[in-house]
Amino acid sequence: MSNTQSFSLDFLKTLGIESINHGTSTGQQHFSSEEAIIKEIISPVDGKLIAKLSYTTEVEYKQVIQKAEAAFLIWRSTPAPIRGGIVRQYGNLLRQYKEPLGKLVSYEMGKMLQEGMGEVQEMIDICDFAVGLSRQLHGSTMHSERSNHRMYEQYHPLGIVGIISAFNFPVAVWSWNAMLAAVCGDVCIWKPSEKTPLSAIACQNLMAQVLKENNLPEGIFCLINGDYKAGEWMCNDTHVSLVSATGSTRMGKAVGAALAQRFGKALLELGGNNAIIISEHANLNLAMIATVFGAVGTAGQRCTTTRRLIVHESLYDTVKEKLIKSYAQLSIGNPLTGNLVGPLIDKAAVDAYINAIEQLKAEGGKVLYGAEVMQGEGYESGCYVRPTICEAENNYKIVQTETFVPILYLIKYRTLEEAIALQNGVKQGLSSSIFTDNMQEAELFLSSGGSDCGIANVNIGTSGAEIGGAFGGEKETGGGRESGSDAWKAYMRRQTNTLNYGKELPLAQGIKFNV
C-alpha cells in the first residue's frame, strides 16, 4: 500500500468514513433490504481504491423524502436566527476539521492541496455569511392606494430543496446552497457526484453531529448516493420544491425540462467557456499570473476555468512566449505533495483531452505546448496530462465547446470592440475578464454593451469568486445565482400581503361594487 493511501485512510477515519478495510461506506442510513448498487471510489491521484459505497435505492429515497418532510414542519417554525445558530456551529466544526476534509477533497477529486483547503474555507465563509443573513430575511413595505390599508411582502421557506453537485467542487457548491436554504427554513437533500461521494459523506457526518447535539431531526440535511437516476428521482418528485443543479449544459437541459413539466423551481449552474482579454494597455505581469492560474488550476476542471485568451495583436507574440515559459515550469503530479497540477478526474476525461486536441488540429489549429498524457512513475493512475496551449480561431467548433480539461486557446484581436464580440461569441456566459489600465476600456467592458457574462472582472482572472457576490451566468450557463448578495431569495417563496385596518372595503383602481 502506498504512503499516499495509508495517509488518506487515516483522515477518512477521522471524518467518520470506513475504509475499504472495514467494509462499505454508505453515507446514509439504510431503511430497506432492497439490493443496492455497490460503487467503487477510485482516487485519480494514484489509481487506488479508497472505499466502496452503496447507492441509495428508490425505496430508501422515498423514505428519505418522508424524513425530510417531517423535519421541515419543525425547521420552518424554528426562528431564523436560531437556524443561523445551527449553521454557525457547523461552520465552527468545519474549522476544526478543515485539514482532514481538505485532504480528502484533494485526494478524492485530484485538486492541489491548497485548493482543497480553500474549498473548505469557502464552506466556512458561506456559513458566516448565512449566519448574518439569518437576521436579514427582510421584505418590503409599500404604500397602498386605499385608505387604512397597509401592503408589504414577506418570504417563506419553500420546503425540500434538492441539491445536485458536481465532482469539481465536491463540497463548496453544496454549502452555497445548503447553508442559505437552511437559514431560509428549508430542508435539503444532497445528491453529490458519483465520482466524489466520500467528501459529501464526510460533510454529512459532521452535520449529523451538530443536529444530534441540538436535538434536531436528521431529516433537515439528507444525503443520497447514486448516478443520474437519483437526480431524476428528485427532478420528477413533486415533494421537492427546488432543485439546484451544477453540471454540464446537457445535464441542465434535462433537469430544467423535468422541473418545468411539473412547475418545480430550478436553479441551474452549468457550463462556462470563459475568456480573458489582454489589452495593449494591460499589466502583463498580472495578466500572466491570472491566466496561468485560471487555465491550469484544478487541472482545467473549474466551471470558471480560463479556456480562451483573447490577446491584442501588438502583444500576441510576447504573451505566447511568456505562457510557454510559464507552462514549462509547472509541476505535475500528486496534488498532496505540493505539485501545482493534479490529475483529471478519470480516464474518460483524459480521452476528452486527447479528442479535443485532435479536433483542434483537424480544424486548422496549432498546438504550441503540451498535448501529452503523462506516463511513468507517479502517473500510474493514467489521469495526468500536460496543460496545453493552442492557437485557434473563436469559431472553431472545439473552441465553442466547453471541454473540462486544461487546454487554453489563444486568439488574436485588433480592436476592443472585436475582442468583446469574440468574448461574447459563445453559447456560454459564466465568467469573463479584461486586463487593462485604460479606464475607458474597463468601463466599456463592464457596460451593457460589454461582457454578456454573469461575472465580469477587470484586472483579475475568471476564477476565484468571493462568496459575497452572487455567482452564476447567462445563456447556456443557466441563469441561476448562488452564494452571496440576494441569492437567498431563490430558496424562498415571495408573498404579498395587504392588511385592511379600516371599517370600509374600498377596491383598488377606484372600482365601485355596490350590493
Side-chain angles (χ1 to χ4, degrees), residues 27 143 156 183 209 221 284 296 300 341 395 429 433 446 464 501 512:
H143 288 281
H156 296 296
V183 299
Q209 293 182 36
F221 291 91
L284 277 187
V296 309
V341 182
N395 60 359
S433 174
L446 300 177
Y501 56 90
K512 302 296 183 183

Side-chain angles (χ1 to χ4, degrees), residues 275 277 308 310 419-426 431-432 445 451-453:
I277 297 172
R308 296 175 295 140
I310 303 170
I420 292 174
L422 290 167
Q423 140 67 38
N424 295 342
V426 292
S431 187
S432 59
F445 182 74
S451 169
D452 64 1
C453 293

Side-chain angles (χ1 to χ4, degrees), residues 78-328:
T78 303
I82 303 300
R83 299 193 295 251
I86 300 302
V87 172
R88 176 183 55 79
Q89 293 177 44
Y90 186 61
N92 288 339
L93 201 58
L94 289 174
R95 287 177 169 87
Q96 181 179 341
Y97 286 91
K98 179 178 177 179
E99 182 176 354
L101 183 55
K103 290 176 180 175
L104 174 56
V105 168
S106 293
Y107 186 50
E108 185 180 29
M109 185 269 152
K111 62 178 60 179
M112 71 175 183
L113 185 57
Q114 284 277 15
E115 292 184 276
M117 296 293 188
E119 189 168 343
V120 181
Q121 184 61 50
E122 196 165 358
M123 298 177 73
I124 295 168
D125 293 345
I126 200 66
C127 286
D128 289 349
F129 180 90
V131 172
L133 176 64
S134 68
R135 294 181 182 270
Q136 300 181 69
L137 301 173
H138 48 73
S140 302
T141 59
M142 291 77 72
H143 288 281
S144 174
E145 66 184 67
R146 292 169 282 186
S147 299
N148 300 322
H149 282 58
R150 180 166 65 89
M151 293 179 64
Y152 66 97
E153 63 181 17
Q154 58 181 329
Y155 289 84
H156 296 296
L158 283 176
I160 298 176
V161 171
I163 302 169
I164 301 174
S165 61
F167 74 85
N168 58 334
F169 283 88
V171 295
V173 174
W174 166 75
S175 69
W176 289 0
N177 288 274
M179 299 306 108
L180 298 194
V183 299
C184 289
D186 300 317
V187 298
C188 299
I189 299 178
W190 183 10
K191 205 293 285 186
S193 169
E194 63 270 28
K195 298 179 181 181
T196 53
L198 300 182
S199 298
I201 292 171
C203 292
Q204 183 73 7
N205 288 345
L206 295 178
M207 179 57 78
Q209 293 182 36
V210 175
L211 295 177
K212 183 177 181 180
E213 290 170 0
N214 288 272
N215 296 314
L216 287 168
E218 61 182 11
I220 296 172
F221 291 91
C222 299
L223 177 70
I224 61 173
N225 277 305
D227 56 16
Y228 69 94
K229 291 181 181 178
E232 287 181 347
W233 295 338
M234 288 200 297
C235 293
N236 294 318
D237 192 342
T238 56
H239 298 94
V240 180
S241 300
L242 166 72
V243 174
S244 176
T246 302
S248 68
T249 296
R250 178 186 56 80
M251 179 272 282
K253 287 180 178 179
V255 170
L259 289 163
Q261 187 68 26
R262 64 175 179 86
F263 295 101
K265 296 181 181 296
L267 200 169
L268 302 176
E269 295 291 353
L270 310 176
N273 196 344
N274 317 292
I276 291 177
I277 297 172
I278 298 183
S279 159
E280 60 184 315
H281 305 293
N283 180 325
L284 277 187
N285 289 332
L286 292 182
M288 289 299 98
I289 295 170
T291 298
V292 175
F293 175 74
V296 309
T298 322
Q301 298 172 114
R302 298 193 194 112
C303 52
T304 55
T305 289
T306 304
R307 308 204 178 278
R308 296 175 295 140
L309 192 65
I310 303 170
V311 186
H312 190 270
E313 60 182 2
S314 66
L315 296 176
Y316 187 82
D317 290 337
T318 300
V319 167
K320 181 167 61 175
E321 181 181 339
K322 286 180 175 291
L323 276 177
I324 293 172
K325 183 177 180 179
S326 295
Y327 270 52

